[in-house]
Amino acid sequence: MSRIGRLPIPLPKGVTVEVTPGLVKVKGPKGELSVPISPEMRVVVDGGVVRVERPSDERRHKSLHGLTRTLIANAIKGVSERYVKELLIKGIGYRARLAGRAVELTVGFSHPVVVEPPEGITFEVPEPTKIRVLGIDKQKVGQVAADLRAIKKPSAYHEKGIYYAGEPVRLKPGKAGAKK
């Protein structure tokens, strides 16, 4: 039995789950998400718990079992709490600021870079060197954070760029210098 797939998913207060063939709709205080699932998987909602059951012990069904349970659990957490990715900006003169819903980055280019958030995503800039990406869809939050980081990836030599909060900084040594 799949260690992840067999775990029940507790439903927080205010979250409802509606199951249709091939689709699970999750509604909560922060919003609504639809999770496409394999029609072979069976999703059961009883009481305050959601369970995912598989039809057989085939390799494909075992793989889908854990995946389906995780996707549904992520949707439930997203509509009840929201997901947050934090990015840090390091470098002299590097900063970010909100321009309406968009975030404007000054990261060493000749012009500021303006990034518009996709639907369902919001930006917060609590400090000029910190950006928070918020949303209910875990995949979308992670993708937008990765796109922001890709604008100015961390430099391995100068410790400049856009980092994830908590990302280890691995600096390469510079030139050793000429020996006489």
Side-chain angles (χ1 to χ4, degrees):
M1 194 67 168
S2 169
R3 291 188 181 150
I4 294 171
R6 69 182 166 147
L7 297 174
I9 308 165
L11 283 176
K13 286 184 180 170
V15 176
T16 59
V17 175
E18 183 185 320
V19 181
T20 57
L23 194 69
V24 175
K25 291 183 181 176
V26 183
K27 290 182 186 177
K30 304 286 184 191
E32 181 179 336
L33 284 174
S34 295
V35 180
I37 60 168
S38 171
E40 299 172 40
M41 292 293 118
R42 196 167 145 241
V43 178
V44 180
V45 181
D46 57 320
V49 174
V50 178
R51 287 182 293 119
V52 179
E53 298 171 355
R54 65 177 184 230
S56 71
D57 284 340
E58 286 181 32
R59 184 181 184 105
R60 175 175 148 60
H61 290 150
K62 285 181 178 181
S63 299
L64 286 172
H65 193 202
L67 172 72
T68 304
R69 189 249 178 226
T70 302
L71 291 175
I72 294 170
N74 287 346
I76 290 171
K77 183 180 177 197
V79 298
S80 61
E81 299 173 22
R82 279 203 307 196
Y83 285 99
V84 178
K85 277 277 192 185
E86 209 166 272
L87 298 162
L88 304 175
I89 303 171
K90 292 184 182 177
I92 296 174
Y94 286 19
R95 63 185 173 276
R97 71 178 190 88
L98 279 177
R101 289 189 62 231
V103 68
E104 186 178 292
L105 301 168
T106 305
V107 286
F109 298 124
S110 61
H111 58 283
V113 180
V114 179
V115 179
E116 290 286 337
E119 192 167 328
I121 298 293
T122 55
F123 294 129
E124 288 181 358
V125 182
E127 302 171 20
T129 58
K130 196 179 279 185
I131 303 170
R132 296 178 76 212
V133 182
L134 301 109
I136 61 173
D137 188 347
K138 184 176 187 177
Q139 190 275 331
K140 197 182 276 188
V141 169
Q143 185 62 53
V144 170
D147 292 344
L148 282 172
R149 183 179 180 273
I151 291 170
K152 191 72 170 189
K153 287 186 180 171
S155 168
Y157 294 98
H158 304 290
E159 200 176 350
K160 291 165 42 171
I162 301 175
Y163 295 82
Y164 292 117
E167 180 180 4
V169 179
R170 292 189 194 94
L171 288 179
K172 292 183 177 180
K175 290 187 177 179
K179 291 185 180 182
K180 293 185 180 187

